[in-house]
Amino acid sequence: MAKVFLSYAREDAAAARQLAESIGRAGHDVWWDSHIKGGSRFSTEIDRELKTAQAVVVLWSQASVESAWVQDEAAEGRDSGRLVPVTLGGSRPPLGFRQFHTVDFGTWNGDGEPANLDELVEAITKTAGNEATKSASAPADAQKGTSGPSVCVLPFVNMSGDPEQEYFSDGITEDIITDLSKVSALLVIARNTAFTFKGKVMDVKEVARALDVSHVLEGSVRKSGNRVRITAQMIDATTGGHLWADRYDRDLTDIFAIQDEISKAIVAALRVKLLPEEKKAIEARGTTIVEAYNLYLMARKQWITGDYSDVRRGESIVRICRQAVSFDPDYAQAWALMALAQAELRLLHGKDVDALPAVERALSINPDIAEAHCVKAQLLQEQGKQAEANQEIQFALRLDPESWEVNREAARLNFRQGRIGDAIPHFEKAATLMPSDWHSPMMVMTCYQSVGDEGSMLRAARTSIERAETALVKEPSNTQLLAAGANALALLSEDSRAREWIDRALLLDPDNNSTRYNLACALVVRLNDAERAMEVLGPFFEHTNADVIKHVEADPDMDSIRDDPRFKAMMSGAKQRLGVTA
């Protein structure tokens, strides 16, 4: 019996279900995403199942060849020699996958068993047999993600005695995670998963068991003036003993050398091979100027933890990044982060800010910064260049499929172009990559409601309200959180509480345009109150921008009131004011 991973586009779910059952009856163990239980970490579970499968069956269809999610899964199968491709409806696999023999299911659409199921089962058996032989003969520590070494880098503790220095210890942790992730023989838990343990007192064995890793790295950072002390220790999760530990007392100007030394010491302690290009990648830094690096970490902390609905957050990030590049004009990461903040100021707050110069500067220095490409995709979308925008976001996804920013932008592009099904996996992945992200679960609620997946819609609603309630403890006046929560509460049939949150949001910040729109969505779709929705939307249309108008046109939440003369008049007036012709 082989362990099979089935990859497909959301539009082909009926065919995928039938095929999974057929392969199962042939004696194989099939995993597809219907197996995900409520509360699971969406991309974490998929990634685990994908890595441990002996055969990766991919359904190529008209929908899936356009899906970045399916292409990523297919690439994992292709690059590891486990790919078993199937075509539906005469579709051609995308570039990069056409050299493989493909089982052609013709016009089969999920009714009964496909005529040539035997050919597929034989291909699975052969592929799984080759995989088993390869696994048995390969060195143990060469099998990344299986029996090879794996590590979780826990957030380093800020020992500076100043909570304001938290950004520095977090930044050091992130850079060590990034460095270790460049080592092909080592599986490293992603930053956002590792940071869910921040501030928690846990036994390292519990952490290792929860994440299924062999080692845990923990440490502390003390920054005082121009001096820094970093302690780090690698713990064997099986025994609880120290595999390696060290302390570094240096001038702050040595911070890059310390990071290199820690990463190389960990590689040596785990006895994994560091390839020459990996050594070079670890040593490559975006800047060699400590002042610029320190400012970038400060801005990055604001970007990750700040309230994105607060215009002051974006403005402060731009300000800090400008200072960083004044120390080092060739600091590509700082330029890219500046562009991200500028794009958000324009999109969410209607500010007359041009992110293009910062994007172009970042990409001229380093063309492989995924986040810069995702901003460029957004700018192209604003100009109506959809094909170019899609190419740009696909390139960004290839550069860094684990980027929260890139997945979030890929989801938004798909959503605004009416490809709601293709937006789902990216919103889901963004929500998983950033546990504090409450906006993506709110958006994916709408997507699931649009495609008629009630179970997933309710799961997303529960995630959304949990995250909104957690964030409101720290930011009780955040009306964007209240709007997201109101949508989730209404979906969960807590109508009275949803209306309370709507009233509270309008009282606290009646001029917040994003809040108004999301409150209107709750009123229209979830509370069936078109009259009040019209009242809420009036000021929104008077102050919105052209790019948001495109979002409104694509948003299925507005479908039930599109023919209302009042809605038409408001939409027409906004388009005329903004010069939107299409």
Side-chain angles (χ1 to χ4, degrees):
M1 180 178 73
K3 185 174 181 182
V4 178
F5 180 97
L6 180 58
S7 176
Y8 67 100
R10 183 70 49 185
E11 291 85 343
D12 305 318
R17 179 182 296 278
Q18 178 60 42
L19 186 58
E21 292 174 356
S22 298
I23 297 172
R25 283 193 294 269
H28 296 303
D29 179 17
V30 185
W31 189 97
W32 60 306
D33 61 16
S34 70
H35 291 185
I36 295 178
K37 304 293 189 293
S40 294
R41 289 189 175 96
F42 187 82
S43 71
T44 302
E45 186 167 344
I46 288 179
D47 191 54
R48 182 178 64 248
E49 296 296 332
L50 182 57
K51 287 182 182 302
T52 57
Q54 294 170 294
V56 179
V57 175
V58 178
L59 291 184
W60 290 124
S61 68
Q62 187 175 357
S64 67
V65 295
E66 298 292 334
S67 170
W69 192 271
V70 175
Q71 286 198 31
D72 283 348
E73 293 169 348
E76 180 84 21
R78 177 196 62 196
D79 297 344
S80 59
R82 296 173 292 146
L83 179 64
V84 181
V86 174
T87 56
L88 301 177
S91 297
R92 253 186 115 194
L95 288 173
F97 298 94
R98 294 176 184 171
Q99 70 271 38
F100 297 93
H101 173 69
T102 303
V103 180
D104 186 1
F105 278 2
T107 58
W108 180 75
N109 61 3
D111 291 335
E113 289 191 348
N116 46 355
L117 176 66
D118 290 345
E119 183 184 351
L120 174 61
V121 172
E122 184 181 347
I124 291 171
T125 303
K126 182 179 178 180
T127 301
N130 291 339
E131 177 65 16
T133 302
K134 181 174 66 178
S135 298
S137 61
D141 59 7
Q143 299 176 48
K144 180 176 178 178
T146 54
S147 58
S150 51
V151 62
C152 172
V153 182
L154 292 175
F156 279 30
V157 178
N158 172 30
M159 301 291 287
S160 302
D162 179 5
E164 294 298 319
Q165 294 295 328
E166 197 84 11
Y167 75 89
F168 191 79
S169 56
D170 284 354
I172 296 297
T173 308
E174 291 174 9
D175 280 352
I176 291 173
I177 291 172
T178 300
D179 286 347
L180 294 177
S181 297
K182 296 170 183 174
V183 182
S184 57
L186 185 61
L187 176 65
V188 183
I189 297 299
R191 179 260 182 219
N192 295 299
T193 300
F195 269 68
T196 60
F197 296 97
K198 183 176 172 66
K200 297 179 181 177
V201 179
M202 291 187 68
D203 183 88
V204 292
K205 288 186 178 181
E206 292 180 32
V207 175
R209 188 162 48 248
L211 300 176
D212 193 23
V213 294
S214 59
H215 297 82
V216 175
L217 178 72
E218 59 182 6
S220 65
V221 178
R222 184 186 300 275
K223 179 170 168 276
S224 179
N226 292 322
R227 296 288 294 178
V228 63
R229 170 183 291 178
I230 298 178
T231 63
Q233 53 186 4
M234 174 74 77
I235 299 169
D236 186 318
T238 305
T239 65
H242 289 75
L243 186 66
W244 164 85
D246 211 337
R247 185 177 78 178
Y248 304 84
D249 277 301
R250 307 275 186 84
D251 287 335
L252 194 57
T253 52
D254 289 333
I255 189 62
F256 306 118
I258 296 172
Q259 290 173 328
D260 290 346
E261 289 174 31
I262 291 174
S263 298
K264 290 172 184 175
I266 292 167
V267 168
L270 293 174
R271 299 181 182 179
V272 296
K273 185 177 181 180
L274 185 62
L275 301 175
E277 59 269 24
E278 293 169 352
K279 180 177 182 292
K280 186 177 179 181
I282 288 175
E283 292 173 348
R285 300 289 171 187
T287 183
T288 58
I289 299 174
V290 172
E291 292 85 354
Y293 177 68
N294 187 56
L295 287 163
Y296 172 75
L297 293 185
M298 193 183 300
R300 177 71 182 168
K301 179 75 172 181
Q302 285 280 318
W303 175 255
I304 292 172
T305 63
D307 172 15
Y308 90 104
S309 63
D310 186 348
V311 66
R312 293 170 299 181
R313 164 186 172 265
E315 291 171 342
S316 67
I317 291 170
V318 172
R319 226 175 10 254
I320 296 168
C321 286
R322 285 199 189 283
Q323 192 170 353
V325 297
S326 73
F327 283 102
D328 184 355
D330 293 327
Y331 196 177
Q333 286 88 344
W335 284 110
L337 182 54
M338 184 192 303
L340 282 167
Q342 289 173 327
E344 201 160 82
L345 284 169
R346 179 180 177 83
L347 175 66
L348 296 180
H349 302 289
K351 295 293 182 179
D352 186 15
V353 180
D354 185 4
L356 186 59
V359 166
E360 291 181 336
R361 181 68 173 139
L363 293 176
S364 69
I365 301 165
N366 182 356
D368 291 335
I369 296 183
E371 288 76 15
H373 285 284
C374 86
V375 174
K376 190 173 180 181
Q378 181 181 316
L379 297 176
L380 288 166
Q381 168 79 4
E382 284 186 36
Q383 297 166 23
K385 300 176 180 178
Q386 292 191 3
E388 292 177 52
N390 292 337
Q391 289 177 353
E392 200 70 31
I393 202 65
Q394 289 300 324
F395 186 61
L397 284 164
R398 287 194 294 273
L399 285 172
D400 191 355
E402 300 303 312
S403 164
W404 171 67
E405 291 87 353
V406 172
N407 277 281
R408 186 182 63 159
E409 191 57 42
R412 293 199 294 207
L413 282 180
N414 279 306
F415 187 94
R416 287 176 183 169
Q417 293 175 22
R419 296 193 300 273
I420 304 299
D422 285 341
I424 288 173
H426 294 296
F427 276 132
E428 287 277 20
K429 192 163 188 178
T432 304
L433 288 168
M434 188 72 72
S436 60
D437 178 3
W438 49 265
H439 185 261
S440 294
M442 179 183 70
M443 289 301 301
V444 86
M445 286 189 319
T446 293
C447 295
Y448 280 128
Q449 189 167 28
S450 177
V451 301
D453 188 342
E454 184 176 357
S456 297
M457 176 189 72
L458 293 175
R459 172 178 57 80
R462 286 190 289 270
T463 300
S464 184
I465 189 59
E466 286 169 8
R467 293 187 179 185
E469 287 176 331
T470 299
L472 280 167
V473 172
K474 296 180 181 178
E475 304 173 68
S477 299
N478 187 327
T479 58
Q480 289 271 41
L481 287 171
L482 290 167
N487 275 273
L489 288 166
L491 273 181
L492 295 170
S493 300
E494 296 190 40
D495 292 8
S496 176
R497 193 172 171 213
R499 289 186 181 278
E500 288 176 7
W501 284 41
I502 290 170
D503 292 341
R504 182 174 156 199
L506 289 171
L507 185 63
L508 285 169
D509 191 1
D511 298 325
N512 189 311
N513 234 30
S514 294
T515 295
R516 276 192 172 272
Y517 181 74
N518 290 326
L519 292 176
C521 289
L523 288 162
V524 171
V525 182
R526 280 116 205 176
L527 296 172
N528 196 27
D529 190 347
E531 292 301 316
R532 183 140 193 235
M534 292 298 175
E535 294 176 15
V536 172
L537 283 171
F540 162 80
F541 277 112
E542 291 172 7
H543 299 97
T544 193
N545 59 50
D547 200 51
V548 174
I549 286 292
K550 295 174 185 175
H551 178 95
V552 177
E553 289 184 316
D555 192 349
D557 279 358
M558 294 290 114
D559 286 352
S560 65
I561 60 171
R562 288 195 194 283
D563 293 332
D564 188 302
R566 294 168 295 178
F567 183 86
K568 284 184 172 181
M570 287 188 286
M571 188 72 143
S572 176
K575 284 186 170 184
Q576 187 174 358
R577 173 176 61 83
L578 297 165
V580 176
T581 55

